[in-house]
Amino acid sequence: MAKNITVLGTGYVGLVSSVGLADFGNTVTGVDLRTDIVDTLNGGRSTIYEIGLEEYLQRDLESGRLSFTTDGDAAIADADIVFFAVGTPPKADGHADLSQIEAAARQVAANLTGYKVVVTKSTVPVGTNRRVQNIIAEASGKTPGTHFSVVSNPEFLREGKAVQDFFHPDRIVIGYEDDRAREYMEDVYRALYLIQTPFVWCNLETAELIKYASNAFLATKITFINQMANLAEAAGADIHQIAKSMGMDGRISPKFLHPGPGYGGSCFPKDTKAVAATGDEYGVDMSVIKAVIEANDHQKVITAGKLMRLMGGSVSGRTVAVLGLAFKAETDDVRESPAIDIVQELLREGATVRAFDPEAMDNFKTAVVGEGPFGNNLNSDLQEQIAEAAASRLHYCSDEFDALTGADALIIVTEWNAFRNLDMDRAADAMSGRLIFDARNVLDPERAREKGFTYAGVGRV
Ligand code: UGA
């Protein structure tokens, strides 16, 4: 039987889940504290850029199965199931900040009108669902398993492919403790059963750690290939052939073996730090993940340094076109994007930057003057210095050729498809210099060289 679901939080995971769960035939109320967000969503406009999302949003609003509200209390009181999709940002010590999860648990306790299943979709450290269970039990005086059940249901969707991932997941992981909760979750995901999606039923702690283990492993895989690319480059080998051949081994798989300027985004940086912090808490050695965090920060330094070197050691007074500001293609998200570090470094070294991204320009404008370079905190002097330089020497351009106009060099930081097919003749006409640093290996080196460019990629000569 389709369920009455309330989703707390309308960020990436919350919005995509609300839309997806409604499309499965459930009745869904999405809750956000901000009236402007709720109004925008109820008006059929998506608050995030994600392919296909707005079409689904409009379709499900029209069906009457989806709506958004700021009234969390009423929405919880009416629900059979409450999903937590609130933020768990990192604290300074690397631990996840669980204040929003705890507030949500207290809000459920205050509105526990009948049996409800409480499902955590936010990425939370091991032990959090047990804590949620305790908070609700203590605050409401009700018994877990009888008056409510807690379920861990981590989300594995990727930004840019979120809709596709939600409807065609590799697996659904459900940590649970009692059969009634399991039956509810089977109802919620009945549409996925029909297409034979694998379901993993496990305990709460296992589900929580599956999520962290998956993200930490993928971050490790990327970091491994980045370092291997640095070595291949130094030794005169080709990382593409290396990665491809490695991927032919079924035990390795070819995915997530693309070298670049370092991983970014809202998940890998945050989750690797959280796993390391959890290891410290349990007194368990997590040195592999700690090395990954450090190596990834360093990869950004290496990328910026390589551009300086290619430009003869100084960029002062020179113009650099930066194509791609998002942390990866198909998103407007710039959180921990390597482009932030690279642009800040160029500005600090005296360059003029002409930047373009198809979607992420607005978000970048705020982030470039707000985040610290290379994983450091931005102290106020540095912040002022970067803001001043950005005001006079950072230009946001209307397209890639506008960005290339008068540039001494081009660096490609994000692998947007539009950049893969860059018209080399037009690029050569627009630029005053002939240097391309392709930090994502998206261009054909031969074609670039034929057109008279000095081309440098990552991990290949
Ligand atoms: C990641 C996971 O892939 C999702 O499964 C997970 O649900 C999500 O985090 C999350 O925890 O919410 P996402 O951050 O959207 O998804 O992006 P990815 O596609 O995984 O890329 C992350 C970073 O790694 C990007 O900066 C990307 O450019 C980089 N990357 C990825 C590489 O440098 N090389 C690769 O081969 C793959």
Side-chain angles (χ1 to χ4, degrees), residues 1 20-21 40 43 52 57 117 236 321 346 387:
M1 206 177 70
L21 292 171
T40 304
L57 171 70
V117 177
L346 286 169

Side-chain angles (χ1 to χ4, degrees), residues 19-299:
V19 168
L21 292 171
D23 215 75
F24 289 163
N26 301 290
T27 302
V28 179
T29 309
V31 178
D32 203 290
L33 300 174
R34 279 176 53 181
T35 317
D36 56 332
I37 290 182
V38 165
D39 290 347
T40 304
L41 294 173
N42 277 330
R45 272 169 298 122
S46 176
T47 40
I48 53 172
Y49 171 78
E50 193 64 49
I51 291 166
L53 185 59
E54 203 159 86
E55 288 77 10
Y56 275 101
L57 171 70
Q58 289 168 2
R59 177 167 109 183
D60 294 314
L61 286 168
E62 271 164 33
S63 75
R65 287 195 309 272
L66 178 64
S67 61
F68 297 89
T69 179
T70 51
D71 188 352
D73 290 338
I76 292 169
D78 284 349
D80 306 311
I81 305 183
V82 182
F83 276 83
F84 290 177
V86 293
T88 53
K91 294 197 286 195
D93 63 0
H95 280 99
D97 176 354
L98 297 176
S99 53
Q100 294 182 55
I101 290 279
E102 289 166 2
R106 280 190 290 275
Q107 196 174 14
V108 167
N111 294 284
L112 205 54
T113 45
Y115 176 79
K116 293 184 201 305
V117 177
V118 180
V119 186
T120 307
K121 253 213 178 299
S122 314
T123 300
V124 291
V126 62
T128 304
N129 278 284
R130 189 87 39 213
R131 197 152 141 200
V132 165
Q133 196 176 57
N134 291 340
I135 291 173
I136 299 176
E138 274 168 31
S140 67
K142 306 244 167 83
T143 316
T146 307
H147 301 108
F148 73 96
S149 302
V150 170
V151 163
S152 168
N153 173 214
E155 183 52 63
F156 298 94
L157 52 82
R158 290 163 296 176
E159 289 188 23
K161 296 205 166 63
V163 173
Q164 181 194 320
D165 284 351
F166 192 88
F167 288 110
H168 302 281
D170 290 333
R171 75 299 206 189
I172 294 285
V173 173
I174 300 182
Y176 74 111
E177 296 209 298
D178 57 87
D179 289 341
R180 195 166 171 197
R182 178 171 173 151
E183 281 163 25
Y184 270 52
M185 295 310 286
E186 283 171 357
D187 280 345
V188 167
Y189 285 116
R190 187 138 327 266
L192 291 182
Y193 265 144
L194 303 177
I195 56 169
Q196 299 193 333
T197 304
F199 277 69
V200 178
W201 299 96
C202 54
N203 70 21
L204 297 173
E205 287 75 13
T206 305
E208 291 166 336
L209 269 187
I210 287 172
K211 168 72 189 191
Y212 278 103
S214 302
N215 272 5
F217 184 79
L218 291 171
T220 304
K221 200 171 176 189
I222 296 166
T223 307
F224 177 87
I225 206 67
N226 282 343
Q227 288 200 334
M228 206 46 85
N230 299 342
L231 182 58
E233 197 171 302
D238 182 336
I239 196 63
H240 274 236
Q241 287 187 307
I242 295 169
K244 201 167 162 195
S245 306
M246 284 171 66
M248 287 169 184
D249 186 329
R251 293 169 302 176
I252 298 175
S253 121
K255 291 183 182 159
F256 274 63
L257 284 180
H258 304 286
Y263 61 75
S266 64
C267 304
F268 289 173
K270 164 172 83 73
D271 295 350
T272 43
K273 284 179 201 140
V275 177
T278 306
D280 289 345
E281 202 179 298
Y282 282 82
V284 174
D285 176 17
M286 285 285 140
S287 48
V288 171
I289 291 161
K290 287 178 181 170
V292 165
I293 296 166
E294 201 178 310
N296 190 61
D297 282 341
H298 194 54
Q299 188 69 13

